């Protein structure tokens, strides 16, 4: 019941699809060599993030039957792993989505379409309207979220209440000005970035593991928080946050049984104590 | 529009009502001398916390017309302040409540009755069923919450959506074993206590100020997190957390206008972006 989880911080470039896929593949293989059974990749891994506009996003979109998901399934089979990663999806209706998928040796198990769109994503993507899926895998029950979704506690609650033991959050957290690598204008000295703090709290109030995969490098002038982290159900990091402008494959052993027990004291259960009569 | 806020960490003892009231009064007076316009006191300030059982809680309960609220109103008038503090309340029906009140020079403005009861509080108190009040005062719109309430993001949302600019959280955060003053069994080295992290996230996802007043000292073998903190709407502490076993009156200047603006980027608003069609 202990799952070795890998959270992969990657340097990606918008439009450099082959190189981006190769970076993801290398990280998955590194995770596999280290015994990882679940690998989490960033948001929009093959395409990159900083699109010039909707036309560029559409040009870089691919269907779930496309080469990225195909390669991830092949890697999942070869290494007997679960892989979660984000991609720019052309869906069955022709809409472009900011999606993440979960694949395992059985193939594509779930797709999630980001419901809360950040900034110019609003020009590029149709937001999702379905709750985050929770997938029962060989290595635990895994819920999917993407980036800004995690800032809405009501939304994080849904997969947690649906039994997720690990929330896999694919993200591209743009750094505020001067906030590239910890020597931060936006982040007070000695403080952990508030987006990392927020996912720590999400783990704690739901007693779930959280694995966040973020970006590094610079893309069209945007740099990233580098907030890749694996957090335990008590809200404390098991690995990371990286908080540096470098690629990284963080590993942590997660006893998923801990996430099935929502007790926070002898007489309290942080899920059962919700006042569902009031909210 | 800048409010100087004081969060008061007090050493209290169960049943030592006169001494507890004196400790609160001294902290309020210290806050007033330092220019504080809002003072936040811990949960169950006059009575203390670790009751032997329901009978002791009832014996220490007092009505809203009792001496504690009376003294706080008198201090609010004398110093032209707003005071928020917790007390063991005997309500108008004879039920015992874990309550907090907001008083200002106009008198008692609001009472809040804790809706999420921790541990043996379940033997002593009738939980509240009304949402946290938000009070329009001379120094800002102030919402009230008590301790374990803050671990339920849905509940924190209610006063934030109702326009609170400052959430005043009266708390008694019992320390886990060995977790008295930062040299903690429960808290990994270098980490901030997860209850403090949680209120930082509550501030950030709602873009509100949060003022937490916690305890110090030891009461019937229970020690406290000492997590008194004042947090800005970006989720970073403006003062504290104290994280030490000592009385403290933390002060911070809070520009409450910052909490009226929920924008988190040029095209995003962390309240308006909620998918109210989905949750």
């Amino acid at each position: 019941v202990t799952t070795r989880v890998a959270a992969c911080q990657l340097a990606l470039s918008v439009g450099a699809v082959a190189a981006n896929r190769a970076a993801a593949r290398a990280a998955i293989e590194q995770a596999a060599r280290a015994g990882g059974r679940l690998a989490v990749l960033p948001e929009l891994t093959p395409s990159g993030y900083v699109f010039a506009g909707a036309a560029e996003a559409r040009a870089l979109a691919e269907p779930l039957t496309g080469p990225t998901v195909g390669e991830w399934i092949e890697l999942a089979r070869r290494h007997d792993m679960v892989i979660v990663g984000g991609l720019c999806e052309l869906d069955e209706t022709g809409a472009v989505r900011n999606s993440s998928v979960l694949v395992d040796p059985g193939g594509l198990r779930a797709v999630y379409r980001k419901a809360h769109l950040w900034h110019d994503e609003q020009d590029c993507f149709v937001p999702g309207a379905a709750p985050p899926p929770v997938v029962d895998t060989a290595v635990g029950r895994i819920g999917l979220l993407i980036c800004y979704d995690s800032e809405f506690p009501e939304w994080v609650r849904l997969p947690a209440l649906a039994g997720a033991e690990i929330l896999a959050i694919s993200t591209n957290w743009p750094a505020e000005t001067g906030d590239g690598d910890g020597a931060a204008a936006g982040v007070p000295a000695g403080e952990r970035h508030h987006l990392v703090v927020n996912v720590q709290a999400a783990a704690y109030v739901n007693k779930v593991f959280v694995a966040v995969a973020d970006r590094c490098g610079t893309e069209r002038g945007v740099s990233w928080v580098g907030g890749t982290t694996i957090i335990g159900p008590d809200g404390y990091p098991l690995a990371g946050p990286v908080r540096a402008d470098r690629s990284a494959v963080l590993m942590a052993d997660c006893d998923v049984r801990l996430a099935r027990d929502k007790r926070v004291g002898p007489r309290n259960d942080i899920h059962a104590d919700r006042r569902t009569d009031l909210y």
Side-chain angles (χ1 to χ4, degrees), chain A residues 22-81:
Chain A
R25 186 168 58 242
I28 292 165
E29 288 171 344
Q30 181 180 337
R33 283 193 301 275
R37 302 294 314 283
L38 166 66
V40 183
L41 302 169
E43 182 181 7
L44 296 170
T45 288
S47 60
Y49 181 86
V50 187
F51 305 116
E56 187 177 33
R58 178 169 290 276
L60 290 166
E62 54 179 307
L64 298 177
T65 52
T68 296
V69 176
E71 177 170 81
W72 291 349
I73 291 172
E74 186 191 309
L75 288 164
R77 288 183 176 146
R78 186 181 313 155
H79 299 296
D80 190 23
M81 288 177 77

Side-chain angles (χ1 to χ4, degrees), chain A residues 68-206:
Chain A
T68 296
V69 176
E71 177 170 81
W72 291 349
I73 291 172
E74 186 191 309
L75 288 164
R77 288 183 176 146
R78 186 181 313 155
H79 299 296
D80 190 23
M81 288 177 77
V82 176
I83 298 168
V84 173
L87 78 162
C88 181
E89 183 201 354
L90 184 68
D91 80 7
E92 62 284 1
T93 71
V96 180
R97 305 282 197 164
N98 185 337
S99 298
S100 72
V101 294
L102 184 148
V103 305
D104 71 6
L108 175 65
R109 298 288 310 280
V111 59
Y112 167 67
R113 289 156 180 161
K114 188 177 186 179
H116 302 83
L117 298 181
W118 179 257
H119 200 53
D120 292 344
E121 296 173 32
Q122 296 169 67
D123 301 327
C124 300
F125 300 114
V126 175
V134 177
V135 187
D136 205 354
T137 76
V139 302
R141 290 173 62 82
I142 299 166
L144 308 186
L145 290 164
I146 301 175
C147 200
Y148 191 40
D149 284 326
S150 62
E151 298 175 44
F152 299 86
E154 303 93 333
W155 200 240
V156 178
R157 226 14 154 199
L158 295 179
L161 290 175
E165 294 152 357
I166 304 173
L167 297 178
I169 307 180
S170 297
T171 197
N172 285 186
W173 280 338
E176 295 144 79
T177 312
D179 174 29
D181 54 6
V187 181
E191 290 296 321
R192 185 169 280 163
H193 196 283
H194 57 201
L195 294 176
V196 178
V197 164
N198 179 56
V199 290
Q200 290 184 251
Y204 172 68
V205 300
N206 288 296

